[in-house]
Amino acid sequence: MSYKNTLQKVDTEKALSLIGIEYQTQGAYVKFPCPNCKEQAVIKAYGDKKNLYYCPRCKVSGHIISLVMKVLGTDWNNANKLLIKAEATTKRIANELTMKYELQYHHFLESQGISEKTCRDLEIGVPKGKTMLAGCIAFAVHDEEGRKIAYYGIRIKDLKPVFHKSFNPELYVFNFFNVDSKEPVYFSSNMFECIKNIEQGRQCMSNFGLPYLSRFQLDLLRYYEKIVFLVDESLVKPFAVQMAESQMNYYRFEN
Ligand SMILES: [Zn+2]
């Protein structure tokens, strides 16, 4: 695989975890200690400059492969081999998920203004027992045909996303299958906001909290003539740029 391919495919957060670097995410950026001066450096987790980093303090820059080499003191080949473990899948899930969690309503959902009935209807809740989504709010995810293909989780204690490696949120739009293009369509990047809007009778979709729209998601949004975006102020500009660049239909932002 070419190194540019690696930069596009590797999940930045997974890669940093893999080499034992502590980080903080902020929108499309991830902050971590600079390998040179230990001050805060930034690496881009999405888009064109994905997996390129820069330290504003000492001006050192590089990409995720050179970062791994530096941090682990290893060579190019070994760094690449290691990074394969941090790749996000580019495959869509072909089969319907037969596994079903026993989901419980949780006071966190109540605090978000989401009712027990909505959770039952949409298959949302905290899974019972020992599962990879223990301690998470799990959301059943369906493909465009309405087949359940995965669960997406948000950990209650820190709101970090948790999901199986076979599922890549870039390849789906949450609740797309339920939305009628003849009615007004809403879109929120926040999963809880999305559910709250559905509860209020709006047709709402979400991109699983990603701070950008993937190519695939942009393509799916073309099905709708008009879309209202309910996103944080910090995301208005990046989303508007993406929508304009891909020459999308009529859309507007609402707070
Ligand atoms: Zn530095």
Side-chain angles (χ1 to χ4, degrees), residues 37 44 47 60 116-117 130 140 145 156 170 183 185 189 191 197 226 241 254:
C37 73
K44 200 153 182 230
V60 153
E116 195 168 355
K117 182 185 181 301
K130 270 192 191 167
E145 276 82 48
I156 297 166
E170 287 189 341
E183 299 289 325
V185 177
S189 57
M191 289 293 280
N197 275 277
K226 291 179 185 175
V241 168
E254 215 177 77

mmCIF file of all heavy atoms in Angstrom, residues 37 44 47 60 116-117 130 140 145 156 170 183 185 189 191 197 226 241 254:
data_model
loop_
_atom_site.group_PDB
_atom_site.id
_atom_site.type_symbol
_atom_site.label_atom_id
_atom_site.label_comp_id
_atom_site.label_asym_id
_atom_site.label_seq_id
_atom_site.Cartn_x
_atom_site.Cartn_y
_atom_site.Cartn_z
ATOM 1 N N CYS A 37 9.314 18.416 21.259
ATOM 2 C CA CYS A 37 9.434 19.342 22.393
ATOM 3 C C CYS A 37 8.458 19.056 23.525
ATOM 4 O O CYS A 37 8.480 19.743 24.542
ATOM 5 C CB CYS A 37 9.262 20.781 21.911
ATOM 6 S SG CYS A 37 7.563 21.182 21.473
ATOM 7 N N LYS A 44 -4.413 16.027 12.158
ATOM 8 C CA LYS A 44 -5.758 16.072 11.603
ATOM 9 C C LYS A 44 -6.300 14.651 11.457
ATOM 10 O O LYS A 44 -5.627 13.775 10.943
ATOM 11 C CB LYS A 44 -5.745 16.793 10.251
ATOM 12 C CG LYS A 44 -7.104 17.294 9.884
ATOM 13 C CD LYS A 44 -7.063 18.494 8.979
ATOM 14 C CE LYS A 44 -8.506 18.924 8.722
ATOM 15 N NZ LYS A 44 -8.807 19.124 7.316
ATOM 16 N N GLY A 47 -10.303 14.210 6.509
ATOM 17 C CA GLY A 47 -10.175 15.098 5.348
ATOM 18 C C GLY A 47 -8.863 14.951 4.596
ATOM 19 O O GLY A 47 -8.129 13.979 4.762
ATOM 20 N N VAL A 60 7.928 21.420 14.252
ATOM 21 C CA VAL A 60 8.154 20.092 13.686
ATOM 22 C C VAL A 60 6.861 19.608 13.040
ATOM 23 O O VAL A 60 5.784 19.849 13.568
ATOM 24 C CB VAL A 60 8.607 19.110 14.806
ATOM 25 C CG1 VAL A 60 8.241 17.668 14.476
ATOM 26 C CG2 VAL A 60 10.113 19.199 14.994
ATOM 27 N N GLU A 116 -38.452 6.681 27.308
ATOM 28 C CA GLU A 116 -38.294 5.233 27.280
ATOM 29 C C GLU A 116 -38.974 4.634 26.041
ATOM 30 O O GLU A 116 -38.454 3.710 25.438
ATOM 31 C CB GLU A 116 -38.898 4.645 28.570
ATOM 32 C CG GLU A 116 -38.466 3.228 28.794
ATOM 33 C CD GLU A 116 -38.790 2.717 30.188
ATOM 34 O OE1 GLU A 116 -39.267 3.502 31.033
ATOM 35 O OE2 GLU A 116 -38.550 1.526 30.412
ATOM 36 N N LYS A 117 -40.094 5.209 25.675
ATOM 37 C CA LYS A 117 -40.830 4.676 24.516
ATOM 38 C C LYS A 117 -39.990 4.820 23.231
ATOM 39 O O LYS A 117 -39.871 3.881 22.446
ATOM 40 C CB LYS A 117 -42.169 5.406 24.353
ATOM 41 C CG LYS A 117 -42.971 4.841 23.192
ATOM 42 C CD LYS A 117 -44.240 5.604 22.911
ATOM 43 C CE LYS A 117 -45.011 4.984 21.744
ATOM 44 N NZ LYS A 117 -44.246 4.937 20.485
ATOM 45 N N LYS A 130 -22.185 -8.728 30.059
ATOM 46 C CA LYS A 130 -20.825 -8.392 29.630
ATOM 47 C C LYS A 130 -20.772 -8.342 28.114
ATOM 48 O O LYS A 130 -20.747 -9.362 27.444
ATOM 49 C CB LYS A 130 -19.845 -9.468 30.125
ATOM 50 C CG LYS A 130 -19.261 -9.184 31.483
ATOM 51 C CD LYS A 130 -18.104 -10.129 31.750
ATOM 52 C CE LYS A 130 -17.700 -10.034 33.215
ATOM 53 N NZ LYS A 130 -16.807 -11.141 33.596
ATOM 54 N N ALA A 140 -29.098 0.852 17.718
ATOM 55 C CA ALA A 140 -29.151 -0.073 16.579
ATOM 56 C C ALA A 140 -28.984 0.734 15.298
ATOM 57 O O ALA A 140 -29.597 1.780 15.129
ATOM 58 C CB ALA A 140 -30.476 -0.814 16.570
ATOM 59 N N GLU A 145 -31.437 -0.110 3.314
ATOM 60 C CA GLU A 145 -32.602 -0.972 3.075
ATOM 61 C C GLU A 145 -33.347 -1.285 4.371
ATOM 62 O O GLU A 145 -34.353 -1.977 4.356
ATOM 63 C CB GLU A 145 -32.178 -2.298 2.427
ATOM 64 C CG GLU A 145 -32.042 -2.213 0.917
ATOM 65 C CD GLU A 145 -30.699 -1.624 0.520
ATOM 66 O OE1 GLU A 145 -29.681 -2.077 1.070
ATOM 67 O OE2 GLU A 145 -30.675 -0.701 -0.302
ATOM 68 N N ILE A 156 -21.005 6.206 28.424
ATOM 69 C CA ILE A 156 -21.680 7.207 29.266
ATOM 70 C C ILE A 156 -20.680 8.077 30.023
ATOM 71 O O ILE A 156 -20.841 9.288 30.104
ATOM 72 C CB ILE A 156 -22.663 6.520 30.241
ATOM 73 C CG1 ILE A 156 -23.774 5.814 29.451
ATOM 74 C CG2 ILE A 156 -23.283 7.531 31.208
ATOM 75 C CD1 ILE A 156 -24.590 4.843 30.250
ATOM 76 N N GLU A 170 -18.348 6.032 8.751
ATOM 77 C CA GLU A 170 -18.279 6.830 7.517
ATOM 78 C C GLU A 170 -19.131 6.234 6.396
ATOM 79 O O GLU A 170 -19.450 6.920 5.434
ATOM 80 C CB GLU A 170 -16.833 6.899 7.012
ATOM 81 C CG GLU A 170 -15.950 7.794 7.838
ATOM 82 C CD GLU A 170 -14.588 7.994 7.175
ATOM 83 O OE1 GLU A 170 -14.228 7.179 6.312
ATOM 84 O OE2 GLU A 170 -13.911 8.974 7.543
ATOM 85 N N GLU A 183 -41.009 14.842 2.851
ATOM 86 C CA GLU A 183 -41.224 15.621 4.074
ATOM 87 C C GLU A 183 -39.927 16.363 4.431
ATOM 88 O O GLU A 183 -38.858 15.990 3.963
ATOM 89 C CB GLU A 183 -41.605 14.670 5.221
ATOM 90 C CG GLU A 183 -42.889 13.876 4.971
ATOM 91 C CD GLU A 183 -44.125 14.756 5.028
ATOM 92 O OE1 GLU A 183 -44.141 15.707 5.839
ATOM 93 O OE2 GLU A 183 -45.060 14.508 4.234
ATOM 94 N N VAL A 185 -36.525 17.348 6.002
ATOM 95 C CA VAL A 185 -35.480 16.457 6.498
ATOM 96 C C VAL A 185 -34.481 17.240 7.366
ATOM 97 O O VAL A 185 -34.012 18.303 6.972
ATOM 98 C CB VAL A 185 -34.726 15.801 5.311
ATOM 99 C CG1 VAL A 185 -33.587 14.939 5.807
ATOM 100 C CG2 VAL A 185 -35.690 14.983 4.470
ATOM 101 N N SER A 189 -25.362 16.255 13.832
ATOM 102 C CA SER A 189 -24.154 15.446 14.002
ATOM 103 C C SER A 189 -24.124 14.819 15.397
ATOM 104 O O SER A 189 -23.306 13.947 15.669
ATOM 105 C CB SER A 189 -22.905 16.306 13.777
ATOM 106 O OG SER A 189 -22.927 17.399 14.653
ATOM 107 N N MET A 191 -25.808 12.436 18.109
ATOM 108 C CA MET A 191 -26.765 11.326 18.133
ATOM 109 C C MET A 191 -27.935 11.587 19.080
ATOM 110 O O MET A 191 -29.079 11.259 18.773
ATOM 111 C CB MET A 191 -26.047 10.037 18.539
ATOM 112 C CG MET A 191 -25.115 9.493 17.477
ATOM 113 S SD MET A 191 -25.985 8.893 16.000
ATOM 114 C CE MET A 191 -26.529 7.275 16.559
ATOM 115 N N ASN A 197 -34.927 14.906 18.270
ATOM 116 C CA ASN A 197 -35.695 15.449 17.151
ATOM 117 C C ASN A 197 -36.671 14.425 16.581
ATOM 118 O O ASN A 197 -37.787 14.768 16.211
ATOM 119 C CB ASN A 197 -34.755 15.973 16.067
ATOM 120 C CG ASN A 197 -34.316 17.391 16.355
ATOM 121 O OD1 ASN A 197 -35.033 18.332 16.043
ATOM 122 N ND2 ASN A 197 -33.179 17.562 17.001
ATOM 123 N N LYS A 226 -34.071 19.281 0.201
ATOM 124 C CA LYS A 226 -33.814 20.300 1.225
ATOM 125 C C LYS A 226 -33.430 19.619 2.521
ATOM 126 O O LYS A 226 -34.098 18.671 2.934
ATOM 127 C CB LYS A 226 -35.082 21.123 1.478
ATOM 128 C CG LYS A 226 -35.478 22.001 0.339
ATOM 129 C CD LYS A 226 -36.751 22.755 0.700
ATOM 130 C CE LYS A 226 -37.210 23.558 -0.507
ATOM 131 N NZ LYS A 226 -38.504 24.213 -0.254
ATOM 132 N N VAL A 241 -18.847 24.365 3.900
ATOM 133 C CA VAL A 241 -17.801 24.245 2.871
ATOM 134 C C VAL A 241 -17.947 22.912 2.133
ATOM 135 O O VAL A 241 -17.938 22.865 0.902
ATOM 136 C CB VAL A 241 -16.389 24.375 3.495
ATOM 137 C CG1 VAL A 241 -15.311 23.970 2.498
ATOM 138 C CG2 VAL A 241 -16.155 25.800 3.988
ATOM 139 N N GLU A 254 -29.599 25.604 11.410
ATOM 140 C CA GLU A 254 -30.505 26.069 12.456
ATOM 141 C C GLU A 254 -29.883 25.705 13.792
ATOM 142 O O GLU A 254 -29.262 24.659 13.922
ATOM 143 C CB GLU A 254 -31.838 25.319 12.305
ATOM 144 C CG GLU A 254 -33.060 26.130 12.647
ATOM 145 C CD GLU A 254 -34.312 25.317 12.380
ATOM 146 O OE1 GLU A 254 -34.622 24.451 13.202
ATOM 147 O OE2 GLU A 254 -34.956 25.550 11.334
#
